[in-house]
Structure formats: structure tokens, C-alpha cells
Amino acid sequence: MSSLQLQNALCLLKADGSWTAERRSLAITNGAIASLDSGADYSDGAVEYVDAAGLLAVPGFINAHCHSPDNLARGSAPDLPLELWSLSSSAARESRSAREIYLSVLLGAIEMMGSGTTTVLDHVKISPDIDDDSLDAVASAWRDSGMRVTIAPVVSDRAVVGTMPFKAGDFDGADLSTYGARTPLSARDQIASVERFYCRWNGAGEGRIRVAIGPSAPQRCSDELLVMAADFSARHEMPLHMHVLETELQRHMSHRLYGCGAIAHLESLGLLTPCTNLVHCIWIDDGDIGRIARCGASVIHNPVSNARLGSGTCRVPEIINAGITIGLGTDSACCNDGSNMLETMKWAAIVHNCGTTNEADWLGPQRALTLATEGSAKAIGLHAMAGKIEPGYRADLALFRLASAPFVPLNDAVRQLVLSETGASHALTICNGQIIARNGAPVLFDQATIWAETQELADRRKRDNASAFHATHQLEIPIRRMRQRLVGGCVCH
């Protein structure tokens, strides 16, 4: 592995709980940061010197929640609440070829690494059922991208009609046979598939690839499957990553299924541990916050998709005040509609200002940057190697040009990075000591070729996907009836 030296970069370092900008020369050997002052033993190989005097170096951003299969469906889902939106996203994911799955991963990787993200947790939903070839396509693409990834295959064993608070009359006139009432694989078969995937891929790509497990959501899984997933997480010391209480309807469904809230039920099953990622957590109450804090679980905040789908606002200031670890995620590229962590940081920094007049509870740029680096790293179990510019940490870095509109004049590097930068000033992304993106584009593969092939496949999918779209949308009127009864909304569409 070649060595790098970034000479005289303006680095964002953490000191006494705050980010500060300091001039340092980073020595990188064997994929790790060896020194912040140029001192390193380069005797084992060639050194690439980078004049970084005009660059801002920051820890590579860590996207703690995304869904790579949805990259191929960007722009295809309408402006609707989650339960209705999901009918379009589900249809778009149906029966993908291995090549489509591979390209969909690289689409997201291009955008992420081109805007400073080095690490991602990919919550992968394979439709209609999880299978070895599809998961191998996902892992192969992440390996080829050069990024660091934790792949959490989605598992769920309830039919769609059993995951929402319907009444029998809601289904009048609907054909549920090809989608809504479809029987998933058994819990044991799904766990076995993830176990095989773990054996094939965990630790691959020079250690950049990890395999976790991702129950879709409590209401979409039997208790048997949830407990088996928790056992996988505990045995392998990997994240247990799941959506929880993203919408008000999910809160209704939790009380119907369990006679209590979803968080209380997860605690009763022993699923709240320091390995547990609770994604969204919008419709939680004070007791839930106490349970999460007591058990050491973490929350993954997705401010852009929460707003896009009208799901609500996560109680992030109160969650932080309770001492709970929070990471940041972009969520799906068809409910965000992108994979840019700079955008997500800006939303996180300012969206909560509207919820309180106490400015002490506003996140601001300093805390938003922490959530996107240290917070996400701790949430997904990488805090000993990623999220900081520090000797001994992996060399996962993003560098931005200071001679660019967001940074001129330079008054506050953190504020201007979080609130002004969009990725247009991107210079380099480095992962595991290797340059993987330069000037907004990947260096390990040709993005123009990927884009051209992807457009061709997407156009074909649009032509050939009418039956899947028709099948999923048999649930549109039932969902509208259910929504009108419980939370309000229109049935007339």
C-alpha cells in the first residue's frame, strides 16, 4: 500500500469538545494516519506528496443510513407520505438483476465520495426475497468503489398487509395476491442467508467491508425474527439496524400488535443494546427516550427524508441531552432525493431551530459536524477507527478547496463547511489511505460509463415495470382509507 503526505493542510480537529482549524501535515502509511506533523517511516514504499496548503481537511463523513437499491429509482417517487410513497419505491425494486443492483450501488457511491463521504451503512432491501447473488452484487460494488461500508441486509417476515393498522373494509375492491398478501421467506431462511453473506464478505476489501443485519422495522418482523437478528448482532458484534417509529401510523400499529409502544416492546425482547441503531425515532415519547438512554442504543437521524415524506421532526435536542448517541443518514435517494451528507448536515444544523426558542438547544454547525463524523462512527461501531483526524485512526478524509465561493472570506471553517459547502469545492476523498475521488469524480472507475449504462437500464425498467407498479398500487386506496380514519388525509386520489 503506497503512502501519502498531505502537506500543510488546514485540518478540522476536535479539542475540548469543539472543532478547531489548525495547519498540519498529515503522514499516512498502511491506510492509517501515522502523524499530524509529517513524521513517519516511509521506508517500505513510495510516497505521494500532496500540496494541501489550499485545502481544508476534515474527517470523511459517515452516512449511517442509506438504501443503495433506491439509487436506481431516483426521481421516480411522488410527494406522498411514507406508506403511500413506498408503493412506488417497492415497485421500482422488484426483481432486479445482479447488474442493476451493482450499478445502483455505484450510483450512490459516486455522489457520496464526490461530496466527502468515506463510509456508509447500506440497509439493503432485496425484492421480492433476499438471495445470495443479489447480496454478492451489492458487496462487489462497494468493494470496487473503494469506500468503507457496513452492509445490513433487510430482513422482514410479515406480509405487507400485516404491517399497517388496516381494517377489513379498507381492502374492498383490492387484489392483494401479487404484493400485499405475498408471503415472505421464513425467518430462519432469511437469517441463514445473512449468515452465509457474513461468511463470504465480512472483512473483505482490505477490511473495508463489514456485514451487519437490518430488520426492516418491528411491525414488519415477527418476534422470532427480531430475536434471531439480535442474536446475529450479538454473536458477530455488528449493528442491529432498523427503522423505528418513522410515522404516526407506525405508532398506531405498535400499540395494536404489542399493547405498548415499539421501544418498550424492543426492550422487553432484549433488543435495545449498544449495537442497536434505531433509525428515525420520530414518534417517540419521554419514556422511550429514557429506555434508549438506559440501554445504550443509538438513534440515526434523517432530517431530509423526514421532511420530504412529512413524517415529522425527530426530538434530536432532547435525545442529545439524554446522552444518547446520534448519527446522521441521507436515507433513500428516492425520498431524499440524494446522497449528499453536506446537505444532510446543513438540515440537521438548522431544522431544529424551528422547534424551540431556546438557542442552547439548536444544533448548529459544530454539533452537526460531530453527528456526521464521530456520532455516526460510534453508532455503527467504528468509533475506534473513523470519525477523527488523529494518529492511529484510518486515513478516511475529505478535502475541499479553500479558494472557492463557500470559503472566501474564511471566517469560520466549520460554519462555512456545514452551511455553505455543497460539494462543488471538493478536491479529494481518501479512504483507507487511498485516493478514491478527485474533483467530485471517482478515480477507481469511470462514472460516465456507469451513468450511460444505468440510464439504459432505467429506461428499460420503466417500460417493463408496469405489472409491479400495478400490483403495489392495489394498496393505494386501502392505505388512503386507513390514513383518513387514523391520521387524516384524502381518499379521492
Side-chain angles (χ1 to χ4, degrees):
M1 184 178 289
S2 62
S3 300
L4 274 173
Q5 187 169 122
L6 307 177
Q7 298 177 300
N8 203 29
L10 185 64
C11 300
L12 292 186
L13 308 175
K14 201 75 176 290
D16 299 323
S18 296
W19 294 95
T20 61
E22 301 178 21
R23 288 282 174 188
R24 296 296 181 94
S25 292
L26 306 182
I28 297 169
T29 61
N30 298 316
I33 299 170
S35 170
L36 303 186
D37 59 9
S38 301
D41 179 6
Y42 292 125
S43 59
D44 292 338
V47 184
E48 180 179 353
Y49 291 90
V50 176
D51 179 1
L55 302 178
L56 176 69
V58 305
F61 308 134
I62 299 172
N63 185 351
H65 183 66
C66 81
H67 301 283
S68 66
D70 288 348
N71 295 321
L72 204 59
R74 184 198 293 259
S76 66
D79 300 324
L80 292 168
L82 175 74
E83 289 79 11
L84 290 166
W85 166 90
S86 68
L87 302 179
S88 293
S89 65
S90 296
R93 281 194 305 268
E94 279 290 297
S95 303
R96 292 266 181 88
S97 68
R99 185 61 180 172
E100 286 176 302
I101 290 168
Y102 179 91
L103 291 172
S104 197
V105 170
L106 288 186
L107 282 179
I110 288 169
E111 183 175 11
M112 282 189 269
M113 71 175 78
S115 52
T117 294
T118 54
T119 301
V120 60
L121 190 143
D122 188 1
H123 197 199
V124 177
K125 171 66 174 173
I126 303 298
S127 298
D129 288 307
I130 191 170
D131 70 86
D132 292 357
D133 290 345
S134 296
L135 290 177
D136 286 347
V138 172
S140 297
W142 284 120
R143 177 198 59 203
D144 296 347
S145 76
M147 293 180 68
R148 192 177 306 282
V149 63
T150 300
I151 304 170
V154 169
V155 292
S156 61
D157 62 345
R158 291 187 191 273
V160 175
V161 293
T163 66
M164 289 179 265
F166 291 113
K167 288 186 174 180
D170 294 335
F171 299 122
D172 289 350
D175 177 5
L176 307 177
S177 60
T178 56
Y179 175 71
R182 187 170 64 193
T183 303
L185 283 177
S186 72
R188 292 191 179 279
D189 285 345
Q190 292 187 55
I191 294 295
S193 181
V194 181
E195 291 280 9
R196 294 193 300 272
F197 182 52
Y198 179 92
C199 292
R200 292 194 304 276
W201 283 98
N202 191 66
E206 298 178 320
R208 291 182 290 105
I209 297 174
R210 301 189 311 158
V211 174
I213 194 159
S216 181
Q219 75 278 4
R220 298 175 191 140
C221 301
S222 66
D223 286 353
E224 177 191 22
L225 178 54
L226 291 172
V227 170
M228 292 173 72
D231 174 69
F232 176 99
S233 170
R235 282 187 290 105
H236 297 301
E237 298 182 322
M238 287 293 169
L240 178 70
H241 188 89
M242 74 182 91
H243 305 102
V244 178
L245 294 174
E246 185 173 357
T247 68
E248 187 177 3
L249 287 172
Q250 292 178 9
R251 185 172 66 178
H252 282 283
M253 190 62 183
S254 296
H255 283 275
R256 174 186 287 192
L257 285 172
Y258 315 126
C260 64
I263 300 296
H265 184 66
L266 291 174
E267 183 183 32
S268 74
L269 294 176
L271 264 72
L272 296 186
T273 77
C275 287
T276 305
N277 297 168
L278 305 170
V279 184
H280 296 293
C281 273
I282 295 170
W283 291 87
I284 57 175
D285 58 29
D286 292 345
D288 294 332
I289 292 175
R291 291 181 183 92
I292 297 167
R294 183 169 61 250
C295 296
S298 59
V299 170
I300 309 300
H301 182 34
N302 302 268
V304 181
S305 64
N306 292 348
R308 158 80 150 88
L309 300 174
S311 300
T313 303
C314 183
R315 297 169 60 181
V316 169
E318 293 151 282
I319 291 170
I320 290 176
N321 290 339
I324 296 168
T325 296
I326 299 190
L328 282 186
T330 60
D331 208 346
S332 158
C334 64
C335 69
N336 177 297
D337 292 42
S339 301
N340 188 331
M341 282 292 288
L342 288 161
E343 176 189 53
T344 296
M345 277 194 290
K346 181 171 183 174
W347 273 76
I350 64 178
V351 72
H352 301 283
N353 299 6
C354 300
T356 177
T357 56
N358 181 5
E359 68 274 15
D361 285 334
W362 296 359
L363 263 67
Q366 284 272 342
R367 284 198 282 191
L369 179 58
T370 296
L371 298 190
T373 53
E374 292 179 314
S376 286
K378 185 176 180 182
I380 66 173
L382 293 174
H383 50 289
M385 68 166 65
K388 296 181 182 179
I389 299 178
E390 196 171 290
Y393 275 64
R394 304 311 294 172
D396 294 357
L397 305 164
L399 291 95
F400 299 89
R401 292 185 299 276
L402 290 169
S404 58
F407 298 108
V408 179
L410 186 62
N411 293 307
D412 183 326
V414 174
R415 181 173 300 279
Q416 289 169 250
L417 173 73
V418 173
L419 299 184
S420 301
E421 177 57 39
T422 62
S425 308
H426 178 267
L428 297 171
T429 297
I430 299 169
C431 183
N432 216 37
Q434 179 181 28
I435 295 174
I436 61 171
R438 191 187 304 270
N439 298 326
V443 301
L444 302 180
F445 58 92
D446 180 55
Q447 70 179 19
T449 301
I450 297 298
W451 284 343
E453 185 179 359
T454 297
Q455 188 62 60
E456 181 181 339
L457 287 173
D459 290 344
R460 186 185 311 160
R461 167 72 55 169
K462 253 188 283 191
R463 291 194 302 269
D464 299 344
N465 212 35
S467 60
F469 189 88
H470 179 265
T472 62
H473 280 74
Q474 289 293 307
L475 278 178
E476 179 178 358
I477 294 302
I479 290 173
R480 289 189 179 279
R481 289 169 178 156
M482 178 258 295
R483 281 183 53 81
Q484 186 182 57
R485 186 177 66 254
L486 294 173
V487 298
C490 178
V491 182
C492 59
H493 287 75

